[in-house]
Amino acid sequence: MEGHERPVAHVSCLYPEILALIFSYLDVRDKGRAAQVCAAWREAAYHKSVWRGVEAKLHLRRSNPSLFQSLVQRGIRRVQVLSLRRSLRDVVQGIPNIESLNLIGCYNLTDMWLTQAFVQDVLTLTVLNLSMCKQITDSSLRKISEHLKNLEVLDLGGCSNITNTGLLLVAWGLRKLKSLNLRSCRHVSDAGIGYLAGLSSDIAEGTLSIEHLGLQDCQRLTDDGLRHLSVGLHNLKSINLSFCASVTDSGLKHLARMGSLRELNLRSCDSVSDVGLAYLAENNSRVTVLDVSFCDKVGDQGLLHISQGLFNLRSLSLNACPISDEGLGRIARTLTDLRTLNIGQCSRITDKGLSLVSEHLHRLLCIDLYGCTNITTVGLEKVMQLPQLSVLNLGLWQKR
């Protein structure tokens, strides 16, 4: 009826709270674009709920105080610095409640810049990523340990100038640390691990709350370091020892005693053999994720040990290990709850082994058959019938 027409609904009629809820589902770039539409949208887009959990990615090239004011107004507390030409002090002082600072790949970052940034306590910062900041030394760890007391995650991967002295400083100051990555810190040795484990409690109490420890490619680490871990780090859940050439079966004997350990990466640990897996199995290790890929001393006998003791395994990686259908069958018949199986480049595996997998591993979600040149379409078709399989990697598989 004329004169009684219903008003046309328009997005501009929505309450700011509703707009903010809608904007929260946009990606970061579109959030910014929405704020430029009009004053009402800008007000809604600057609501802190819109930016919850967002990490700002910045190029620090010139002074820009208004940038940090804008970030604080939106409640952004997580920052990644993509390139660095100015002091980090601007970030730390500009965002007083910063929670996460990611500096991965800032190759020109020096101890001096970090020292200038952390001149007082920053108790809100819980995550610091210095991966591939190759100029960083123990001097920076002194400042970090002194002023970042609540740090829970520290990534020093590729910081090749870090030594055992730096780990002593970490063990002294960062008692709340839960995750530490020391990948390719080649000056770190067993003594440094001992500091973390609190074995020098008269100097440093240690980082006894650590749950995740990355020691990939730490070439000076030996079985003694693993003994230190087993004595002091009772909360450790995952450890990456890949490419640690000096770790042997004796080291696994120490790890087998760690009841909290759930994830163990031994990829390319050349001295690990079937005997080490026997140690894990004998102690009824509760490991759920195990990677022994490229360990050429791990064969069917090792799989027998696994099948007799590691009943909690959900993910097993055996890429390039000299295993056969016989060993694979033992795993398939026993570890029926396995979700991930990586046997790429295991050239002795044939359709017989795949038949056993399809017959017993009904809960398998992912299988890697990359480079398994002795399988055919017969075995492949059986694997593809697994009811829950969602990922199948064939790679270099050749149809015959």
Side-chain angles (χ1 to χ4, degrees):
M1 294 176 58
E2 294 185 6
H4 295 280
E5 294 181 0
R6 298 176 63 182
V8 177
H10 190 270
V11 67
S12 61
C13 300
L14 295 175
Y15 290 112
E17 295 82 4
I18 302 300
L19 281 174
L21 179 62
I22 295 172
F23 294 161
S24 68
Y25 290 98
L26 300 176
D27 61 33
V28 175
R29 178 173 295 182
D30 288 338
K31 292 179 197 286
R33 288 171 175 169
Q36 298 174 18
V37 171
C38 62
W41 279 34
R42 178 181 177 83
E43 180 182 354
Y46 268 59
H47 197 280
K48 291 184 178 181
S49 64
V50 175
W51 301 90
R52 185 177 293 117
V54 168
E55 181 180 65
K57 301 181 185 296
L58 309 178
H59 292 278
L60 295 183
R61 295 173 178 170
R62 59 181 181 274
S63 180
N64 188 1
S66 62
L67 168 64
F68 299 109
Q69 293 174 6
S70 174
L71 295 178
V72 171
Q73 183 180 353
R74 285 177 279 178
I76 293 178
R77 298 183 177 184
R78 301 174 65 237
V79 172
Q80 179 179 1
V81 178
L82 300 176
S83 61
L84 185 64
R85 296 182 184 176
R86 293 185 54 79
S87 171
L88 277 176
R89 186 188 306 173
D90 293 347
V91 178
V92 176
Q93 294 183 349
I95 309 176
N97 292 324
I98 189 168
E99 296 177 350
S100 173
L101 181 57
N102 186 349
L103 298 161
I104 182 171
C106 289
Y107 304 109
N108 58 337
L109 180 66
T110 64
D111 291 330
M112 182 181 69
W113 280 6
L114 270 179
T115 300
Q116 292 173 346
F118 301 127
V119 294
Q120 59 187 15
D121 291 349
V122 185
L123 300 181
T124 57
L125 192 64
T126 58
V127 178
L128 179 61
N129 190 339
L130 297 173
S131 178
M132 301 306 294
C133 296
K134 292 181 174 291
Q135 297 189 58
I136 295 302
T137 72
D138 297 337
S139 296
S140 289
L141 292 185
R142 181 180 299 277
K143 279 293 181 181
I144 290 170
S145 300
E146 182 179 353
H147 293 299
L148 307 184
K149 296 293 187 181
N150 290 330
L151 208 61
E152 296 180 1
V153 178
L154 178 59
D155 193 332
L156 298 171
C159 296
S160 53
N161 290 315
I162 299 299
T163 72
N164 291 332
T165 301
L167 295 193
L168 175 59
L169 293 167
V170 169
W172 166 77
L174 304 181
R175 298 175 190 171
K176 296 184 179 180
L177 205 62
K178 293 183 178 180
S179 177
L180 177 62
N181 185 7
L182 298 170
R183 173 180 51 82
S184 298
C185 292
R186 298 193 174 187
H187 294 296
V188 167
S189 68
D190 300 330
I193 302 303
Y195 294 143
L196 297 179
L199 300 189
S200 300
S201 56
D202 54 326
I203 306 174
E205 291 189 14
T207 53
L208 305 185
S209 296
I210 279 190
E211 297 177 356
H212 308 283
L213 183 58
L215 297 172
Q216 176 183 351
D217 196 31
C218 289
Q219 295 296 324
R220 297 180 63 187
L221 181 71
T222 73
D223 296 334
D224 284 339
L226 301 189
R227 177 169 54 84
H228 298 333
L229 292 178
S230 67
V231 171
L233 300 185
H234 301 298
N235 295 308
L236 196 65
K237 294 180 180 179
S238 70
I239 184 169
N240 187 343
L241 296 168
S242 57
F243 299 95
C244 291
S246 297
V247 168
T248 73
D249 296 327
S250 296
L252 298 195
K253 196 171 187 178
H254 299 303
L255 295 183
R257 302 189 184 104
M258 303 185 71
S260 62
L261 194 63
R262 296 295 180 270
E263 299 182 10
L264 177 57
N265 190 337
L266 299 167
R267 189 182 186 91
S268 294
C269 290
D270 297 334
S271 298
V272 168
S273 73
D274 298 333
V275 175
L277 298 184
Y279 288 141
L280 292 176
E282 286 173 2
N283 285 271
N284 294 314
S285 173
R286 299 175 65 185
V287 167
T288 60
V289 178
L290 177 64
D291 189 343
V292 289
S293 297
F294 300 96
C295 294
D296 56 13
K297 295 179 181 177
V298 171
D300 288 344
Q301 189 63 34
L303 298 191
L304 174 61
H305 297 316
I306 289 175
S307 69
Q308 293 175 339
L310 301 185
F311 304 118
N312 292 295
L313 273 184
R314 297 297 179 269
S315 175
L316 178 60
S317 296
L318 299 159
N319 295 317
C321 290
I323 61 172
S324 70
D325 296 332
E326 181 181 356
L328 187 58
R330 287 169 176 157
I331 292 295
R333 294 186 185 96
T334 309
L335 305 182
T336 53
D337 285 332
L338 208 61
R339 303 295 197 273
T340 299
L341 178 62
N342 297 321
I343 51 175
Q345 302 181 60
C346 294
S347 57
R348 297 174 63 193
I349 298 299
T350 70
D351 294 340
K352 179 182 177 180
L354 297 189
S355 179
L356 293 169
V357 167
S358 65
E359 182 179 348
H360 297 284
L361 299 182
H362 295 154
R363 297 185 179 182
L364 202 65
L365 301 174
C366 174
I367 187 168
D368 180 9
L369 300 174
Y370 173 93
C372 292
T373 52
N374 279 321
I375 63 174
T376 72
T377 53
V378 175
L380 186 59
E381 287 174 356
K382 290 184 179 181
V383 168
M384 293 177 68
Q385 293 174 4
L386 286 168
Q388 299 186 37
L389 193 69
S390 59
V391 177
L392 171 60
N393 181 28
L394 297 177
L396 298 180
W397 177 80
Q398 297 176 354
K399 181 179 178 180
R400 294 185 179 182

